[in-house]
């Protein structure tokens, strides 16, 4: 289909991938809906549980921040391991599940990262996306850790 989304294209997607990705954003959306008293928090963070940062980092003073494409710069502009910002991101994260379903219904070429980038850059609240290319992280799901007791 002809649209601006074509510039964020990935591979053909399977039904299994659609279910996995929409389920992921359902959990995120529901979690952000539970936040009350937003004014008492400085930052809101969506962080995958299977990664670790290679060095401490300072959270940047931007409304909406996502980690850069560390390790896959040739394929994507961002990664989905961390998204954070001030209270401006709460409605964006609350909308993510519905937005992911809308995109999947309209387009059949995407990846998790390109769908996320498109959605964050085109959020209906007009909040600009800042990509932090200084964040470096390690995925535990790609490691095999031997138990020292065995």
């Amino acid at each position: 289909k002809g649209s601006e989304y074509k510039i964020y294209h990935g591979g053909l997607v399977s039904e299994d991938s659609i279910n996995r990705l929409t389920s992921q954003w359902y959990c995120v959306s529901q979690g952000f809906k539970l936040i009350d008293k937003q004014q008492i928090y400085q930052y809101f963070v969506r962080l995958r549980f299977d990664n670790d940062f290679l060095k401490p980092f300072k959270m940047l003073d931007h409304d909406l921040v996502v980690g850069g494409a560390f390790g896959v710069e040739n394929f994507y502009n961002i990664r989905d391991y961390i998204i954070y910002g001030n209270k401006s991101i709460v409605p964006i994260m609350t909308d993510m599940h519905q937005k992911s379903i809308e995109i999947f219904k309209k387009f059949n070429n995407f990846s998790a990262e390109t769908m996320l980038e498109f959605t964050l850059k085109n959020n209906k609240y007009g909040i600009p996306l800042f990509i932090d290319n200084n964040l470096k992280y390690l995925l535990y799901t790609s490691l095999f850790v031997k138990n020292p007791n065995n």
Side-chain angles (χ1 to χ4, degrees), residues 132-145:
D132 186 353
N133 288 309
N134 293 315
L135 285 175
K136 307 291 183 204
Y137 33 80
L138 178 68
L139 281 180
Y140 284 121
T141 53
S142 62
L143 299 176
F144 294 98
V145 180

Side-chain angles (χ1 to χ4, degrees), residues 18-34 46 93-101 104 115:
I18 291 172
N19 291 334
R20 181 179 51 80
L21 294 171
T22 56
S23 295
Q24 168 188 298
W25 290 115
Y26 176 79
C27 295
V28 171
S29 294
Q30 293 302 307
F32 272 86
K33 285 178 184 176
L34 294 173
R46 184 275 184 173
M93 294 292 102
T94 301
D95 293 348
M96 284 301 293
H97 178 246
Q98 186 59 41
K99 288 295 177 192
S100 67
I101 291 171
F104 301 147
M115 186 280 300

Side-chain angles (χ1 to χ4, degrees), residues 2-140:
S3 75
E4 60 189 287
Y5 187 79
K6 282 293 186 182
I7 62 173
Y8 299 101
H9 69 281
L12 287 177
V13 69
S14 67
E15 187 175 331
D16 179 56
S17 294
I18 291 172
N19 291 334
R20 181 179 51 80
L21 294 171
T22 56
S23 295
Q24 168 188 298
W25 290 115
Y26 176 79
C27 295
V28 171
S29 294
Q30 293 302 307
F32 272 86
K33 285 178 184 176
L34 294 173
I35 298 171
D36 61 352
K37 300 181 183 175
Q38 296 176 17
Q39 66 278 9
I40 66 172
Y41 300 103
Q42 184 175 2
Y43 293 103
F44 295 87
V45 180
R46 184 275 184 173
L47 178 67
R48 281 181 43 171
F49 66 89
D50 61 345
N51 65 321
D52 191 11
F53 292 90
L54 300 178
K55 62 181 181 178
F57 69 93
K58 183 178 189 244
M59 291 187 148
L60 303 176
D61 191 26
H62 291 277
D63 293 337
L64 176 60
V65 181
V66 66
F70 175 59
V72 292
E73 294 87 348
N74 294 333
F75 300 105
Y76 311 115
N77 296 316
I78 68 166
R79 295 299 293 267
D80 66 347
Y81 303 127
I82 183 171
I83 303 166
Y84 71 88
N86 60 31
K87 65 182 178 182
S88 299
I89 75 163
V90 173
I92 295 172
M93 294 292 102
T94 301
D95 293 348
M96 284 301 293
H97 178 246
Q98 186 59 41
K99 288 295 177 192
S100 67
I101 291 171
E102 290 170 14
I103 287 176
F104 301 147
K105 285 181 178 178
K106 284 184 177 178
F107 310 102
N108 66 356
N109 290 332
F110 73 92
S111 67
E113 284 83 0
T114 55
M115 186 280 300
L116 178 63
E117 181 180 5
F118 179 81
T119 303
L120 294 178
K121 281 186 173 179
N122 296 286
N123 70 78
K124 69 182 180 184
Y125 306 98
I127 299 167
L129 174 64
F130 182 83
I131 300 172
D132 186 353
N133 288 309
N134 293 315
L135 285 175
K136 307 291 183 204
Y137 33 80
L138 178 68
L139 281 180
Y140 284 121

